[in-house]
Amino acid sequence: MEFQKHEKFRFCVDRGGTFTDIYAEVPGQANVRVMKLLSVDPANYEDAPVEGIRRILEEFTGELIPRTGKIPTARIEWIRMGTTVATNALLERKGERIALCVTRGFRDLLQIGDQARPDIFDIRAVKPSTLYEEVVEVDERVELLLADEGEGAAGGGDVHRGVSGEFVRVVEPLNKETLREKLCALVQKGIRCLAVVLIHSYTYPQHELEVERLALNLGFKHVSISSSLTPMVRAVPRGLTATVDAYLTPVIKEYLSGFMSRFEEDGRNKVNVLFMQSDGGLAPECSFSGHKAVLSGPAGGVVGYAKTLFEHETTKPLIGFDMGGTSTDVSRFAGSFEQVIQTEISGAIIQAPQLDINTVAAGGGSKLKFLVGAFHVGPESVGAHPGPVCYRKGGELAVTDANLILGRVIPDYFPAIFGPNEDEPLDVEAAKEEFRKLAKDINDYRKTQDALAKDMSIEEIALGFVDVANETMCRPIRQLTEMKGYETRSHALACFGGAGPQHACAIARSLGMSEVLIHRFCGILSAYGMGMADVVEDVQVPFAAVYGPQSIAEAASRDATLTEQVRQKLRDQGFDDDSIKTESFLNLRYEGTDTGIMVKKPEDEGDDYVSKFVKLFRREYGFELQNRKILINDVRVRGIGVTNILKPPLMDQTTGPPKVECHCDAFFGSGWCKAPLYKLENLGSGHVIGGPAIIMNGNSTVIVEPLCKAIITKYGNIKIEINSAPSLVNAAGKIADVVQLSIFNHRFMGIAEQMGRTLQRISISTNIKERLDFSCALFSPDGGLVANAPHVPVHLGAMSSTVKWQLNYWGENLKEGDVLVANHPCAGGSHLPDITVVTPVFDNGKIIFFVASRGHHAEIGGITPGSMPPFSKAIWEEGAAIKAFKLVENGVFQEDGIIKILESPGSVESFSDGKSKHRIPGTRRLQDNLSDLRAQVAANQRGISLIKDLIEYYGLETVQSYMMHVQANAEAAVREMLKSVSTTVADLPNVRKQGADIVIEEEDFMDDGSVIHLKLSIDAVKGEAVFDFEGTSPEVYGNWNAPEAVTAAAVIYCLRCLVDVDIPLNQGCLAPVKILIPSGSLLSPSDKAAVVGGNVLTSQRITDVVLTAFQACSCAQGCMNNLTFGDESFGYYETIAGGYGAGPTWNGTSGVQCHMTNTRMTDPEIFEQRYPVLLHRFGLREDSGGAGQFRGGDGVIREIEFRRPVVVSILSERRVHAPRGLRGGQNGARGFNYLIRKDKRIVNLGGKNCIQVEAGDILQILTPGGGGWGTP
């Protein structure tokens, strides 16, 4: 094998969470030295990377190097290193003690974040903890000048031109004296690290710089200022990045200092040491900081496969598949590194350039469970300790155990490091024994479903879990490719990591790929990639301008300045100009959208940024926005110091047959077989190995499945050609296969998710594309919900009513090529802005399933812009109402027909009501409506295509059978939950027994006094429930009437929250349930009733009543706090967070979206940049949560000053009746809406109002807190 010649040692090190991998090139040696050590082994060494380098130097030089001595540097050319020190500190919350400095009025800004909760079905609404201990509010304020203002504008003040080109006014200079006192108090508490984020510091960083200077002078050892780390508009992600950096950088610096101190003369001047950053580039110790370090290890793997496989082994784009013990990282490479500017890791948002690496919680350590008739893999992990059962530490069954049972992990080729003396092999028998116990439970369950069911062997069960794990890992790969407009099957799978090669063939086959590439260093590829990476310097400045000749000239000037900066930084590190490359970028977006694209400077002279932006936008989103301005957000330059250090070595062509080391028993779908085992080190270029076979690559096991073929390439890598295998799933009988049930759950949900991503990609409206106010779903031929991708809870389950109504209405008049549209409440709708598009799918003239998508259209007409009028009294005042219309007929989009409906919302008779006539305005954004409707049609078509792929593979009978089976599985889960709940609540004072049933009655009130009454009857034997809303008040003369579909959505949401199993949301959840709603009540209003508030207000009250009846938790804020404002030139809409109710063992979460909504909040800087407002305060409303053994969550306070006259509308609840506490817990505080006039008068607006405000008026919204639980 041919390697480069060199005179000194070269080390590439990846210090992972469990193992440290070292790749070393030894002077004068033809082969490399590879070493794997435990990352933490205090009994034997202090630091794994140092120990590995010491051992290799000692081994090849013959010189004794004491473990406690200094490492000699004379023989070391360089060290390249990636480390998980930062990642582990973040995951384990073991960073530095830090405080946050933020502009006064925003102390809770980072805690609230975008106000969305991570898991909509988590009844506790748990959010990641903050990294800071203390908050210091800084007396200072900077405001942006309005577009019609300029330097020296009226109003005076200290006006400056910011870094971005925007003009700012310093309304309040930084008060250093009060800040000094607060910082000194932090020092007294032992906090000496600071994160600083001040509003609009991205363009005016002077105040942050002053804070930094003051803090350092007072003895703070590290200060992270947001404007230096990530000078981009958006205070929340910029501030969170600063907290991550302040939290991690001291930890990183301490580790690096200790590492460097182990070398002679402190190492710094004697050896070239560079560290891998999250963006795939190397950096010296002095510039390696916390916020750029969290993907250090995974980034090395991406660089490794990208630079050794692409165009060396294949011309196909690559999907990187790095499967480890607890998680799997997925990435993509097609000639250039794909980067993102923002990502979230362990609940911490980081805004900085980094490789686009998606992580899924599935790996070798993922737990295996059998719950409610289905196999589940992860997301919980058994961890390194105690680990899987076979680790001899008393662990639980994991994927590694399953692979061991199947013969895919070979104990003789696995390190014998287990047992009390750490010298025993993997325990095969213990794994088998645990699988036998699990097999009994599984087979007993199957007998209850089918008395004649044949018992599953432990091998069949283990293979089933592996199949489910594979499908879990396929989902993020499909998302990564399809979301960006690429076809998954056109890629090759680049597989690495300790566990990945065991699963590669199966995953590639499932994804339709024909080629797998496994690197010869797959087990240490992250380390190897360090040696192939370049040194990178990346700088960026904000620049707010409309794209045009003048702004491009200014951008070019900034580009030139930044280019010289990065060149000089690289020169300072020893690179000459010939070894330096630079790449320039503009961050561009269409006006009115938040979808920015970092566009690389075109290399062709005839091309420009705009044409490239439009091309990229069209490829990713499927369209371009005509006659829309393009805005510049940022200028960025990436400097690359080219190293050209490691090159993929060539292997000699082989002449003889491949050497078989032995034969091993291996289990595949067709049963046991004797598979030949080969060692990669004994194979040569050109060897071809047919499956089934096993190739040992160091400690990594490569499984070549039947019908696949492995080829050893000239670089010593393994290329596997995948031949698709026919489906072995048999739909015969009415009983579901327990393995395939889990796989089809994943496949159906994956299809709904991909429909949603298609809709998000192709839509143009902010509501759908950015606020994610949409849902997509699949339905069985009778309209029953099969899978609903969870986006907005109030949509959950509700679309089934629409599909069934349309099916009943059209009957035999549906034909192939028809697409239906509806939004009317009586046709299964929620409120008119939510438009549902339904597509029936035919096979031989018969409907075989439906797909549907529902999206919130920002404008569909009505008496106020935004189609959310606070005072509507009838449905026609709220916009266009559609009961039944063929949006597409015989394949033709009926544009004229839908335009007529949208522009004329109702007939004259509807408006007149027999008394007077007036015209209701039609939609004010027709083109947006048409574009989003086309996007919904396309999303449906995507779902159809994916299901047809499923049918092609499995057959129609099987797919339709499992459509029914997944519903039956969800039904069983809900029945079990109802049985369990009935036992839990049976002895409570508000429960009475009525025969075999237990009966609970609960009610709550809307602010007008209307009552929502529920009689809940649970049959504890059958696991059935009746939700009877008899006693609920009649339809109201207002708009908080709620269509029946909204009540169904609230009930299904509550049931899904109460089921402690990750089941798909489908019609089966409602199968054991009857919902009885009195006709004519506010929960079943007439088809003339106004309903816009029912969807956003009454839905929350229904949820509170249902969860209170189950005694699940106290009431949440019970409101969405809908705020709209605008004039003839613009409109703005938001919903505002509040407090979550406490529960039996938890405090309620503060400042979060509750229950039936989960939409995002606009960042304060974007809010002030785009609208004529000043946000004076956005923080938690202290002590608004109800007291109790467990406190309710606090609501928020939001204060908005208007800078010009606008019309403001507020639609809210819980301003009269407070959110209730339970079990002795006190009520949460009621909400209030105040208008503070410019002359300081305070006016209570009540819960629902519409008012003209003037410049200088302030709107103050205090949202409700959640109820407490238990006696205080």
Side-chain angles (χ1 to χ4, degrees):
M1 184 168 290
E2 180 185 331
F3 281 89
Q4 292 176 282
K5 294 181 180 179
H6 48 90
E7 298 179 353
K8 294 185 177 183
F9 286 86
R10 297 170 167 178
F11 293 99
C12 302
V13 184
D14 176 29
R15 185 189 187 279
T18 305
F19 291 104
T20 290
D21 299 325
I22 302 175
Y23 169 95
E25 290 193 356
V26 180
Q29 296 285 329
N31 294 318
V32 300
R33 179 69 165 93
V34 172
M35 182 175 289
K36 188 180 285 282
L37 298 172
L38 287 170
S39 291
V40 180
D41 190 359
N44 292 302
Y45 44 81
E46 291 182 7
D47 183 72
V50 171
E51 176 66 11
I53 293 171
R54 186 195 69 80
R55 289 185 186 183
I56 291 172
L57 287 173
E58 194 174 75
E59 176 183 345
F60 287 97
T61 64
E63 300 173 5
L64 180 65
I65 305 173
R67 284 186 174 177
T68 57
K70 298 277 188 178
I71 304 295
T73 59
R75 303 286 298 276
I76 300 175
E77 181 179 347
W78 50 253
I79 299 170
R80 304 286 184 266
M81 183 170 165
T83 174
T84 59
V85 169
T87 312
N88 293 341
L90 187 60
L91 293 173
E92 298 168 10
R93 293 298 194 260
K94 293 182 178 179
E96 188 71 19
R97 294 182 65 196
I98 68 169
L100 172 68
C101 264
V102 66
T103 301
R104 187 184 63 248
F106 297 92
R107 65 173 295 113
D108 305 305
L109 179 65
L110 301 190
Q111 181 179 343
I112 297 170
D114 65 3
Q115 73 183 10
R117 58 194 193 276
D119 179 356
I120 64 172
F121 298 126
D122 178 6
I123 203 168
R124 300 171 301 164
V126 173
K127 295 177 68 176
S129 60
T130 56
L131 302 179
Y132 48 86
E133 291 183 32
E134 301 280 343
V135 180
V136 170
E137 291 190 90
V138 181
D139 294 329
E140 67 86 39
R141 191 59 158 98
V142 172
E143 68 181 32
L144 296 177
L145 268 61
L146 296 176
D148 56 358
E149 294 182 282
E151 191 170 6
D158 190 6
V159 175
H160 303 266
R161 190 171 191 260
V163 178
S164 66
E166 298 164 286
F167 284 100
V168 301
R169 179 184 293 115
V170 179
V171 180
E172 182 179 357
L174 179 71
N175 189 326
K176 294 183 183 179
E177 292 309 310
T178 58
L179 179 59
R180 182 188 300 274
E181 294 176 6
K182 294 176 181 178
L183 294 181
C184 287
L186 292 178
V187 174
Q188 292 296 318
K189 294 179 180 179
I191 297 175
R192 293 178 176 269
C193 288
L194 203 62
V196 186
V197 56
L198 305 180
I199 300 299
H200 298 305
S201 63
Y202 72 95
T203 189
Y204 187 78
Q206 282 82 347
H207 284 178
E208 284 196 355
L209 292 168
E210 289 183 53
V211 173
E212 180 185 34
R213 285 192 293 268
L214 178 60
L216 292 175
N217 288 336
L218 290 173
F220 280 80
K221 66 180 182 181
H222 181 78
V223 180
S224 296
I225 61 173
S226 72
S227 54
S228 294
L229 295 172
T230 173
M232 300 177 71
V233 65
R234 284 189 177 81
V236 171
R238 199 173 67 249
L240 289 170
T241 302
T243 64
V244 169
D245 190 75
Y247 189 70
L248 298 180
T249 297
V251 176
I252 287 280
K253 295 297 184 185
E254 182 179 353
Y255 173 76
L256 296 187
S257 177
F259 175 78
M260 299 300 290
S261 70
R262 293 298 312 279
F263 294 87
E264 287 181 347
E265 298 185 28
D266 206 24
R268 287 178 175 83
N269 300 319
K270 290 292 185 179
V271 63
N272 180 0
V273 183
L274 294 172
F275 297 90
M276 176 61 78
Q277 301 182 113
S278 300
D279 63 359
L282 298 167
E285 176 200 1
C286 60
S287 59
F288 188 54
S289 63
H291 76 292
K292 292 183 178 180
V294 290
L295 292 178
S296 176
V302 175
V303 173
Y305 81 74
K307 291 202 171 186
T308 59
L309 299 180
F310 186 75
E311 293 187 341
H312 289 84
E313 303 286 22
T314 184
T315 57
K316 292 181 179 180
L318 298 171
I319 294 294
F321 176 72
D322 179 7
M323 182 178 176
T326 58
S327 63
T328 297
D329 292 326
V330 176
S331 56
R332 182 179 183 274
F333 184 83
S336 61
F337 291 111
E338 298 188 354
Q339 294 190 334
V340 292
I341 297 298
Q342 181 173 308
T343 191
E344 181 177 335
I345 299 172
S346 187
I349 291 176
I350 301 172
Q351 192 178 57
Q354 50 212 297
L355 295 180
D356 189 2
I357 300 173
N358 293 261
T359 301
V360 59
S366 294
K367 288 184 182 180
L368 310 182
K369 295 166 288 185
F370 180 73
L371 300 170
V372 199
F375 282 31
H376 292 261
V377 177
E380 302 89 355
S381 172
V382 297
H385 182 82
V389 171
C390 60
Y391 278 18
R392 300 178 183 267
K393 296 181 182 179
E396 299 177 65
L397 283 176
V399 171
T400 297
D401 292 307
N403 280 319
L404 180 65
I405 294 295
L406 298 172
R408 302 181 185 190
V409 173
I410 315 298
D412 291 345
Y413 290 87
F414 204 91
I417 56 174
F418 306 101
N421 298 320
E422 299 185 349
D423 58 356
E424 297 181 59
L426 294 169
D427 192 340
V428 180
E429 187 53 41
K432 286 183 177 180
E433 181 58 30
E434 287 302 311
F435 267 107
R436 290 187 192 104
K437 295 176 184 176
L438 184 60
K440 184 178 186 307
D441 294 338
I442 292 171
N443 289 321
D444 287 348
Y445 172 84
R446 295 177 73 241
K447 289 288 198 303
T448 65
Q449 305 298 300
D450 179 5
L452 301 178
K454 181 183 175 183
D455 282 353
M456 294 180 71
S457 68
I458 61 171
E459 293 83 9
E460 289 171 328
I461 291 170
L463 181 60
F465 277 114
V466 169
D467 288 344
V468 173
N470 290 341
E471 185 56 41
T472 302
M473 292 181 285
C474 283
R475 280 172 71 177
I477 295 175
R478 295 189 184 102
Q479 293 167 11
L480 180 69
T481 52
E482 303 292 342
M483 180 65 180
K484 296 182 178 179
Y486 302 111
E487 188 176 32
T488 306
R489 69 185 66 193
S490 66
H491 294 69
L493 189 68
C495 184
F496 57 106
Q502 300 164 21
H503 298 255
C505 288
I507 285 176
R509 180 179 287 125
S510 182
L511 294 169
M513 296 179 179
S514 60
E515 188 176 344
V516 170
L517 295 165
I518 300 174
H519 199 279
R520 66 185 305 266
F521 295 128
C522 69
I524 61 159
L525 191 59
S526 289
Y528 185 66
M530 310 291 172
M532 311 202 76
D534 296 318
V535 177
V536 170
E537 292 287 348
D538 203 308
V539 292
Q540 180 173 316
V541 294
F543 181 39
V546 177
Y547 189 97
Q550 185 175 349
S551 61
I552 279 298
E554 173 67 18
S557 174
R558 293 174 180 236
D559 181 354
T561 301
L562 297 180
T563 298
E564 181 55 30
Q565 284 182 23
V566 298
R567 281 188 169 276
Q568 189 57 50
K569 287 182 178 181
L570 291 169
R571 291 187 196 110
D572 293 343
Q573 295 177 49
F575 290 92
D576 57 42
D577 284 347
D578 291 340
S579 299
I580 297 174
K581 297 191 304 182
T582 62
E583 299 171 342
S584 299
F585 302 84
L586 290 184
N587 190 14
L588 303 177
R589 64 179 174 87
Y590 280 117
E591 185 178 37
T593 75
D594 282 338
T595 308
I597 295 179
M598 195 65 75
V599 181
K600 187 178 176 181
K601 185 177 182 178
E603 297 178 0
D604 299 334
E605 290 188 6
D607 207 355
D608 61 11
Y609 279 108
V610 162
S611 59
K612 193 168 183 181
F613 167 75
V614 171
K615 180 180 178 182
L616 290 170
F617 193 93
R618 187 188 300 117
R619 188 197 69 200
E620 187 158 343
Y621 299 109
F623 66 96
E624 61 183 271
L625 294 176
Q626 301 289 346
N627 304 317
R628 189 80 70 96
K629 292 177 182 177
I630 294 174
L631 306 181
I632 305 174
N633 279 0
D634 306 278
V635 181
R636 175 185 167 205
V637 174
R638 180 178 170 86
I640 302 165
V642 180
T643 57
N644 290 320
I645 290 177
L646 294 187
K647 298 289 186 182
L650 288 170
M651 176 179 273
D652 297 330
Q653 186 73 23
T654 188
T655 55
K659 178 186 176 182
V660 177
E661 305 291 335
C662 62
H663 285 80
C664 299
D665 292 328
F667 190 90
F668 297 97
S670 55
W672 284 104
C673 67
K674 287 286 186 182
L677 183 144
Y678 306 85
K679 288 184 178 180
L680 182 60
E681 62 201 65
N682 295 329
L683 298 176
S685 171
H687 273 144
V688 178
I689 298 170
I694 300 170
I695 302 175
M696 293 306 303
N697 181 5
N699 290 329
S700 296
T701 307
V702 180
I703 299 297
V704 185
E705 294 199 353
L707 302 179
C708 298
K709 181 172 66 177
I711 302 167
I712 309 303
T713 73
K714 64 182 180 180
Y715 294 104
N717 303 316
I718 303 171
K719 177 184 286 187
I720 304 178
E721 296 176 354
I722 307 295
N723 290 317
S724 59
S727 167
L728 301 176
V729 180
N730 188 351
K734 297 181 180 180
I735 306 304
D737 178 278
V738 288
V739 176
Q740 293 301 323
L741 180 63
S742 298
I743 291 174
F744 272 100
N745 274 337
H746 279 289
R747 294 302 296 268
F748 289 143
M749 187 60 74
I751 290 169
E753 289 171 349
Q754 287 199 57
M755 288 174 64
R757 286 180 173 82
T758 299
L759 177 55
Q760 186 183 1
R761 267 198 324 116
I762 300 177
S763 64
I764 70 167
S765 68
T766 299
N767 270 346
I768 294 176
K769 182 176 287 295
E770 286 138 24
R771 293 183 67 244
L772 308 184
D773 197 348
F774 67 86
S775 290
C776 296
L778 291 69
F779 303 86
S780 53
D782 62 355
L785 178 64
V786 174
N788 194 147
H791 293 112
V792 179
V794 78
H795 294 169
L796 301 177
M799 276 193 286
S800 180
S801 301
T802 302
V803 175
K804 289 179 177 180
W805 195 96
Q806 297 297 318
L807 182 60
N808 182 64
Y809 177 86
W810 292 102
E812 300 298 321
N813 292 323
L814 288 176
K815 300 179 178 62
E816 193 159 5
D818 289 348
V819 180
L820 314 175
V821 63
N823 69 343
H824 201 291
C826 76
S830 49
H831 62 176
L832 298 186
D834 286 342
I835 299 180
T836 306
V837 173
V838 181
T839 307
V841 185
F842 291 82
D843 182 69
N844 295 323
K846 181 181 178 182
I847 293 177
I848 55 173
F849 55 87
F850 288 90
V851 289
S853 54
R854 174 171 288 179
H856 184 109
H857 288 239
E859 176 58 64
I860 51 151
I863 58 177
T864 62
S867 306
M868 294 281 291
F871 292 131
S872 54
K873 300 296 191 292
I875 189 74
W876 50 80
E877 293 181 318
E878 298 176 349
I882 311 166
K883 289 184 179 179
F885 180 72
K886 289 189 177 181
L887 182 63
V888 178
E889 188 167 15
N890 293 323
V892 179
F893 190 82
Q894 301 297 305
E895 185 167 323
D896 291 342
I898 193 64
I899 289 175
K900 183 177 179 181
I901 292 172
L902 292 172
E903 290 189 332
S904 304
S907 63
V908 172
E909 288 77 19
S910 297
F911 302 146
S912 67
D913 202 22
K915 296 178 182 178
S916 61
K917 297 182 180 181
H918 59 281
R919 185 180 183 280
I920 301 297
T923 180
R924 301 162 181 88
R925 301 295 296 269
L926 178 62
Q927 290 306 313
D928 285 6
N929 295 133
L930 294 176
S931 295
D932 284 349
L933 286 171
R934 288 192 177 97
Q936 289 179 258
V937 173
N940 287 3
Q941 190 57 44
R942 178 64 181 152
I944 293 168
S945 174
L946 292 170
I947 293 187
K948 285 188 172 180
D949 287 346
L950 208 59
I951 290 172
E952 183 179 350
Y953 184 73
Y954 288 103
L956 177 61
E957 181 185 4
T958 298
V959 173
Q960 287 195 319
S961 293
Y962 278 90
M963 280 186 171
M964 300 300 115
H965 292 325
V966 296
Q967 294 180 50
N969 178 236
E971 177 185 346
V974 172
R975 287 187 185 277
E976 288 300 314
M977 180 274 294
L978 290 171
K979 292 176 183 177
S980 174
V981 166
S982 65
T983 303
T984 303
V985 302
D987 297 325
L988 294 178
N990 63 330
V991 175
R992 70 177 191 273
K993 294 188 177 179
Q994 190 171 306
D997 295 352
I998 65 167
V999 179
I1000 310 165
E1001 295 201 42
E1002 284 291 346
E1003 64 182 23
D1004 206 339
F1005 297 88
M1006 304 297 288
D1007 280 353
D1008 72 328
S1010 298
V1011 64
I1012 295 177
H1013 186 273
L1014 170 65
K1015 177 183 176 182
L1016 173 61
S1017 303
I1018 303 175
D1019 186 327
V1021 177
K1022 297 180 180 178
E1024 296 178 349
V1026 178
F1027 292 79
D1028 187 353
F1029 289 92
E1030 186 67 42
T1032 296
S1033 295
E1035 174 184 317
V1036 298
Y1037 188 59
N1039 61 21
W1040 52 97
N1041 300 292
E1044 291 189 3
V1046 170
T1047 300
V1051 170
I1052 198 173
Y1053 163 79
C1054 293
L1055 293 175
R1056 177 61 186 82
C1057 287
L1058 294 171
V1059 173
D1060 192 25
V1061 180
D1062 185 19
I1063 60 169
L1065 192 77
N1066 61 46
Q1067 205 67 31
C1069 293
L1070 288 178
V1073 168
K1074 285 184 180 178
I1075 301 176
L1076 305 178
I1077 305 174
S1079 180
S1081 69
L1082 72 94
L1083 303 185
S1084 181
S1086 68
D1087 61 359
K1088 297 179 181 179
V1091 297
V1092 72
N1095 193 58
V1096 296
L1097 301 178
T1098 312
S1099 63
Q1100 297 281 47
R1101 194 70 80 261
I1102 299 168
T1103 305
D1104 278 341
V1105 170
V1106 172
L1107 291 175
T1108 300
F1110 279 106
Q1111 296 288 288
C1113 60
S1114 300
C1115 293
Q1117 70 160 335
C1119 177
M1120 296 186 193
N1121 304 293
N1122 302 266
L1123 171 66
T1124 58
F1125 62 82
D1127 56 22
E1128 62 280 351
S1129 65
F1130 81 97
Y1132 174 78
Y1133 171 61
E1134 70 182 23
T1135 59
I1136 308 172
Y1140 236 74
T1145 59
W1146 66 87
N1147 295 314
T1149 301
S1150 300
V1152 68
Q1153 289 282 33
C1154 300
H1155 296 313
M1156 300 304 285
T1157 187
N1158 202 35
T1159 54
R1160 277 62 172 165
M1161 175 60 80
T1162 305
D1163 188 272
E1165 291 178 345
I1166 294 291
F1167 190 48
E1168 294 190 0
Q1169 185 186 61
R1170 297 187 186 175
Y1171 304 100
V1173 295
L1174 290 174
L1175 185 61
H1176 288 301
R1177 187 176 179 187
F1178 185 40
L1180 298 181
R1181 184 185 172 199
E1182 291 185 10
D1183 298 325
S1184 57
Q1189 180 184 0
F1190 297 98
R1191 287 195 63 90
D1194 289 335
V1196 305
I1197 300 177
R1198 192 160 171 85
E1199 288 184 6
I1200 303 168
E1201 178 183 340
F1202 299 96
R1203 303 177 71 180
R1204 75 179 197 220
V1206 293
V1207 175
V1208 176
S1209 297
I1210 183 74
L1211 190 58
S1212 61
E1213 274 282 331
R1214 291 291 195 198
R1215 269 54 181 176
V1216 176
H1217 296 281
R1220 293 164 52 199
L1222 283 182
R1223 308 283 187 92
Q1226 296 180 8
N1227 294 344
R1230 294 175 294 148
F1232 293 94
N1233 305 320
Y1234 296 120
L1235 184 67
I1236 305 172
R1237 289 292 193 184
K1238 192 174 182 180
D1239 62 7
K1240 306 304 180 185
R1241 283 186 303 126
I1242 300 176
V1243 181
N1244 189 338
L1245 299 179
K1248 302 168 184 67
N1249 220 320
C1250 182
I1251 188 169
Q1252 175 78 44
V1253 300
E1254 302 300 327
D1257 289 347
I1258 296 174
L1259 178 67
Q1260 185 186 71
I1261 298 176
L1262 286 69
T1263 69
W1269 180 285
T1271 303

